[in-house]
Each structure stands twice: as structure tokens, then as C-alpha cells.
Amino acid sequence: MTPEVVRRHYLEAMGITAWASRYQLPNARPTEACEWDDTPATPTPPRERLQALLDDAPAPRSAPVETPPPSGEAEASPSAVRALLGERSEATSKPAETAAAPTPSEAPVAKEPLQFRLSCVCIGGRWLSVHPGEMDASEQRLLANICQAAGIAGGSLPEVMFFKWPPMANAFEPEDPLEEAREGVNAFISGAASRQQWQLEKILWWGAGATDPNSQSLSKVLDVHEEQSRTLALPVWQAPSLDTLLHSADTKRNLWPALHALAQDWTVSGQDDH
């Protein structure tokens, strides 16, 4: 049998009997001529004839031959199929929903992010002066006077940069707020150093011993251990906050020996660079 005859047998078995070439499209290949046995239609239903053709066809080697359903089996109506599927889905969904429901003890506990503000000034492109909160004009003048008295960078300071965390309110709910804050501060300082071409050697942390929440949060973020910030991977020199120095002459007097040693480190590190 030619492929055209086989195709017509399949179409007739599927109930498609009005398949015949009526016209030839322009530039189309002519329909292959074949012998067609115009036998009268048999009373056998198209479904059984199609099944008979499938039974006669050779089965693929890689797939097993399925057992055909009995010829007298009635077709299932769409409503019966939907009803059957609905019963099976209800039976399988109830245990899954019960197993997926978390117990009250397994419910995740939301952690609020740390909140703090900081100000920083880069001295000579080498040392980063970090302060809790936002420095006002009097604190900036005091820092410039301290640097001038200690002989650090000639007392001239660049513009102050401000940073707050989190950068946007209700932006996210971090799993580890402290780790997220450390990564945020590290990214802020690293980005500023890359843009300004700083060569950071030391951190000046003006907030040692402060008890306000902002200073304590920032102290945790810097993660100072043995005079080293594990967050920024830089050595840290610590001093009281500028606000404390503004209101306490004794604190200024006690800080002077540490400032004198800091000035010597500035001179030595500057000579090493050259």
C-alpha cells in the first residue's frame, strides 16, 4: 500500500471522510495518484477501525505495546472524567496540606534590621575618621583643630560623607541583620575608596565607650577586636566621641598623649609610602 492509501485509511478510521483534493494551488506539487477502493461504509464504528489499524502497526522497539481497551467499553463523558479527577485530587491534597502546615514552633521569626547613622572623613587619602551620627559644624571644627594640633594632614579636611542604615525603610527583612549591616558599611566605604582613589591604612573610631544606641550599633558593625576592624579589615585607633570632647576638658587632656602617638604614626607611615 502506498503512503497515500494508508493516510486515507487512517483518516477514514478517525471519522474524517471528506478528505479529497479538490483544487491544485499555483506552483504546488501535484497530488500523488493512487488506487482507492470505494467500498461501501461498514457499520463498524470509526473508533474500532482506528484501533484495529493501530494493532496491525508494528510496535516501536523502545516502547512497550499497550493493551487496547475492550471494544465494547463506552466512552467516558467529560463530566465523569472531571468528577473522577476531582475525587482523586481531594484524596491526595488533604494529606499534603496537613504535612505542609508548619507547627507554631517552626514559624520563622522576623528580625528587624539595625538602624544607625555615621559620618566619615578621609584624612590625606590614608586614614578614615568614622563618627557615630551626623557631625555638626562644631564637631567638624574640633576635628580640624585636633588634626592641626597633632600635625596630621596640616589640619585641612575634605567634605564629610554621611551614611545611614538601612538605606530604605521597610526595604527587606534580613535573616541576619548584623551581617547585612556589616556588608552594607563595607560596600559603602569600599565604593567611596575606589571612586576617590583612597589608599586606606587606618580607621579612626571616635565613639569608644559611648552608650547611646546609635554608637553601640555602629560599634557592633565595625566589629573591633584587638585594635582591628574585622568588617573593614583595617587597624583601628579608638577615642571618645567628638561630642564628649566638646563638653569635657579632662577628656581632651587625657587624649593628648594618644594624639601625640597618633601623629608619630602618621609621619612614619607617610615616610614609608615615599
Side-chain angles (χ1 to χ4, degrees), residues 143-179:
L143 179 61
N145 293 336
I146 290 175
C147 292
Q148 184 176 8
I152 300 174
S156 60
L157 297 178
E159 185 179 355
V160 181
M161 296 188 306
F162 301 100
F163 178 75
K164 71 172 183 177
W165 186 264
M168 294 182 294
N170 301 325
F172 53 84
E173 295 181 358
E175 297 180 359
D176 190 345
L178 182 57
E179 186 65 24

Side-chain angles (χ1 to χ4, degrees), residues 6-203:
V6 175
R7 184 170 58 122
R8 288 180 178 249
H9 275 295
Y10 272 100
L11 291 173
E12 182 183 0
M14 288 186 293
I16 305 175
T17 57
W19 180 268
S21 299
R22 301 288 183 180
Y23 307 98
Q24 181 178 355
L25 298 177
N27 301 324
R29 179 181 298 179
T31 303
E32 297 180 1
C34 63
E35 297 181 0
W36 182 254
D37 186 12
D38 294 333
T39 56
T42 59
T44 308
R47 177 185 175 186
E48 295 185 7
R49 281 184 284 144
L50 177 60
Q51 188 62 53
L53 291 174
L54 294 177
D55 293 341
D56 294 338
R61 296 182 180 180
S62 59
V65 179
E66 297 182 359
T67 305
S71 59
E73 182 181 359
E75 294 183 4
S77 62
S79 59
V81 173
R82 285 195 296 268
L84 181 59
L85 293 177
E87 293 177 359
R88 292 182 178 178
S89 61
E90 290 178 0
T92 57
S93 62
K94 289 182 179 180
E97 293 176 357
T98 305
T103 59
S105 60
E106 297 176 355
V109 179
K111 298 180 180 179
E112 296 185 1
L114 294 176
Q115 297 183 3
F116 59 88
R117 295 173 180 266
L118 67 88
S119 307
C120 58
V121 179
C122 188
I123 304 173
R126 294 160 48 193
W127 290 3
L128 188 66
S129 181
V130 180
H131 309 262
E134 297 183 2
M135 297 174 60
D136 55 21
S138 59
E139 292 174 342
Q140 294 181 36
R141 286 194 301 268
L142 177 60
L143 179 61
N145 293 336
I146 290 175
C147 292
Q148 184 176 8
I152 300 174
S156 60
L157 297 178
E159 185 179 355
V160 181
M161 296 188 306
F162 301 100
F163 178 75
K164 71 172 183 177
W165 186 264
M168 294 182 294
N170 301 325
F172 53 84
E173 295 181 358
E175 297 180 359
D176 190 345
L178 182 57
E179 186 65 24
E180 291 282 349
R182 288 172 178 170
E183 291 179 358
V185 171
N186 192 357
F188 166 71
I189 294 178
S190 299
S194 177
R195 292 190 302 271
Q196 304 295 333
Q197 297 182 353
W198 296 339
Q199 300 295 330
L200 296 180
E201 304 170 356
K202 188 188 293 287
I203 300 294

